[in-house]
Amino acid sequence: PEYAHYGVYEEDAMDMNVHAIHQGFLRQLSQPRCSIQLNSEVLKCEYNEGKQIWEVHTTNGVYVTRVIVNAAGAWADELAVLAGVSPFGLVPKRRTIISFDPIEQNETQEMGEFVHLPFTMDCEETVYFKPESGKIWASPADATPIEACDVQPEELDIAICVDRLQSITYLNPARLSHKWAGLRTFATDNTPVIGYNSNLSTNGPDKRGRTFFWLAGQGGYGIQTAPALGDLSASLCLQRPIPQYIQALGLDTGVLS
């Protein structure tokens, strides 16, 4: 009580089932002309100017396409380099999450006191937490620049998260159930990078023209923005009109980096 003076409660905020949304998108790829190739590291991308096609060399063979959609997340700049395209200057940033039981065995609180907690974050976004599957998930809202990698949490970030929770709540994350980290990728203006390489001014003219399409830099909001950004990207990539529901929001595609 001595920490908080004011608060804002957003009544119509809703949680997202990330797993269900992701699986829903994957099911849409079960079409005869769609396939997902796992464990296929891209080794190089060569553009055949005569045939106007890309040859994408991977550890599982060579794939041929007229257009590459660069949706490689934290590795988007690296994929661009493999294709001979100038990197955009995207920066992956580490985000740490911890999970713990909201009560200790020797404490008297009921679990029901915690399961209805809303997603809670301080106004300066230095810590946030929410109930999830009988646990409390929390993060110090870190955004540490890091090279694209199989990222792991740092003990310092975990300690900072625990300290901030104990400073502002009655939660006691004495024993952690899990700890992990992820990468959130940003452009310099924190705006998603969407469009053909020849249209993105920072890269300048490209002799391959409209054959290398960027879809990167969602900054940790990939699942949340996926339906709209997917529709928008498909329209721009196929040179079709932008969907009416997106136009109605007044989107200026020029701001997309």
Side-chain angles (χ1 to χ4, degrees), residues 6-241:
Y6 301 97
V8 176
Y9 178 64
E10 190 174 347
E11 290 186 347
D12 57 353
M14 290 188 281
D15 201 3
M16 301 180 69
N17 188 328
V18 174
H19 176 74
I21 294 171
H22 190 242
Q23 291 301 311
F25 285 133
L26 290 177
R27 283 193 294 272
Q28 293 182 49
L29 287 174
S30 61
Q31 305 297 323
R33 298 182 64 182
C34 299
S35 66
I36 299 175
Q37 302 296 324
L38 303 177
N39 300 315
S40 298
E41 180 185 356
V42 176
L43 304 175
K44 63 178 178 178
C45 303
E46 294 182 328
Y47 187 67
N48 187 316
E49 293 192 46
K51 297 181 180 179
Q52 295 187 337
I53 59 172
W54 285 97
E55 295 177 354
V56 181
H57 298 255
T58 77
T59 51
N60 275 344
V62 180
Y63 299 89
V64 176
T65 181
R66 291 195 179 279
V67 175
I68 290 177
V69 176
N70 182 7
W75 288 264
D77 267 355
E78 293 185 18
L79 180 61
V81 171
L82 290 175
V85 173
S86 298
F88 205 86
L90 297 167
V91 179
K93 297 182 179 182
R94 185 176 62 239
R95 173 59 53 93
T96 305
I97 303 288
I98 63 172
S99 171
F100 59 93
D101 289 317
I103 56 176
E104 300 298 319
Q105 291 184 351
N106 61 348
E107 293 180 342
T108 59
Q109 291 101 325
E110 295 289 337
M111 179 60 198
E113 297 180 28
F114 298 96
V115 294
H116 298 299
L117 282 173
F119 173 90
T120 305
M121 177 173 61
D122 69 327
C123 62
E124 295 180 338
E125 198 172 338
T126 62
V127 66
Y128 57 81
F129 57 92
K130 71 167 187 172
E132 180 71 32
S133 305
K135 307 286 186 180
I136 296 292
W137 286 12
S139 172
D142 49 326
T144 306
I146 187 174
E147 295 291 328
C149 64
D150 182 14
V151 65
Q152 299 296 320
E154 294 287 330
E155 291 301 321
L156 176 60
D157 294 322
I158 294 171
I160 289 172
C161 184
V162 170
D163 178 70
R164 290 174 180 172
L165 280 172
Q166 292 177 330
S167 298
I168 68 174
T169 74
Y170 294 124
L171 295 170
N172 182 26
R175 290 193 297 271
L176 304 184
S177 303
H178 296 92
K179 53 186 179 181
W180 65 96
L183 293 176
R184 305 159 77 242
T185 305
F186 296 83
T188 54
D189 61 358
N190 294 335
T191 302
V193 179
I194 302 175
Y196 279 103
N197 194 65
S198 57
N199 291 346
L200 302 178
S201 59
T202 59
N203 290 319
D206 188 275
K207 65 180 181 180
R208 285 149 292 197
R210 301 171 71 84
T211 64
F212 190 91
F213 189 93
W214 290 81
L215 174 52
Q218 289 96 325
Y221 296 93
I223 286 289
Q224 185 174 343
T225 60
L229 284 189
D231 282 345
L232 174 64
S233 298
S235 298
L236 295 175
C237 187
L238 298 173
Q239 301 180 52
R240 295 175 178 174

